[in-house]
Amino acid sequence: RHVFGDATGSLSAAVDRLGHQWARTGQRAVNGSPLSAGLFPGELHMVFGRPDQGRVREVVDEIETAIAELAAAAPTVPDGEVTVRELTQAARLARHGAWRLLGGAGPGGEAMAADMAELIEGQTVTWLDRSRPGGLSDSLARLDPSITEHT
C-alpha cells in the first residue's frame, strides 16, 4: 500500500508470491533460478537436480495466481501501470520457464510458440517503457536466438 499506492494489496501480494517460486521446483540453484534455467536452456546455469513435476505444476499455479493478482492491482503511483506491465511480463517469463521444466507434461509446441511470441512482444513493450532501444535486440535474442541485431 505504501510503495505502490495499491489499496487492494494485490500488487504486493503478487510480488511476494512470485518471489518464492524459484525455490520450489525441487532443484537447487546457486546464484540463479531453475525457472531462468528453464527459460534459457542454452545458457550456463548452476542448477542441480531434476525438477519435480508435481512441484513445478504447483509453481505454475502460483505464478498464474500472481498474474491474476497483478490484473486486479490498482496502483496509484505515477509509474503504476508500467510496474504492473513489467511484473506481469516477468511472471509470464517465469511461467514459460516452468512450462519448459515440465517437458512433455507442459503445453504443446504450438501453445509454447504462441506464448513465446507474446513474450517477445511484451518484452519489447516493457523494455521501451523504461529503457532506450539499445540492448533490446540482445534481450529479444535471448528469448528467440533466431532474432538478429537488425530486429
Side-chain angles (χ1 to χ4, degrees):
R1 288 181 176 97
H2 299 289
V3 174
F4 302 116
D6 180 15
T8 70
S10 297
L11 187 50
S12 58
V15 168
D16 183 57
R17 183 180 310 279
L18 290 169
H20 292 91
Q21 300 315 307
W22 72 272
R24 298 187 60 228
T25 66
Q27 296 174 287
R28 292 183 312 115
V30 176
N31 197 28
S33 164
L35 300 173
S36 181
L39 183 62
F40 304 115
E43 297 180 7
L44 179 61
H45 299 273
M46 293 182 67
V47 175
F48 307 97
R50 300 188 62 80
D52 177 293
Q53 299 296 297
R55 291 176 74 181
V56 174
R57 281 188 204 88
E58 291 173 4
V59 167
V60 170
D61 291 344
E62 288 291 310
I63 292 170
E64 289 177 348
T65 297
I67 291 170
E69 288 171 332
L70 289 166
T76 58
V77 293
D79 65 343
E81 287 181 31
V82 172
T83 301
V84 169
R85 251 192 322 273
E86 289 169 332
L87 289 169
T88 301
Q89 175 70 6
R92 292 190 65 215
L93 288 164
R95 181 182 63 187
H96 196 91
W99 282 344
R100 286 188 179 171
L101 292 177
L102 289 172
E110 282 186 33
M112 291 292 282
D115 189 60
M116 182 53 71
E118 290 176 13
L119 288 170
I120 289 169
E121 182 178 327
Q123 187 70 9
T124 301
V125 170
T126 57
W127 183 283
L128 295 174
D129 275 342
R130 294 200 198 257
S131 302
R132 296 179 304 210
L136 175 59
S137 60
D138 290 337
S139 177
L140 297 178
R142 290 187 69 207
L143 296 174
D144 180 355
S146 68
I147 295 174
T148 66
E149 287 281 330
H150 305 291
T151 303

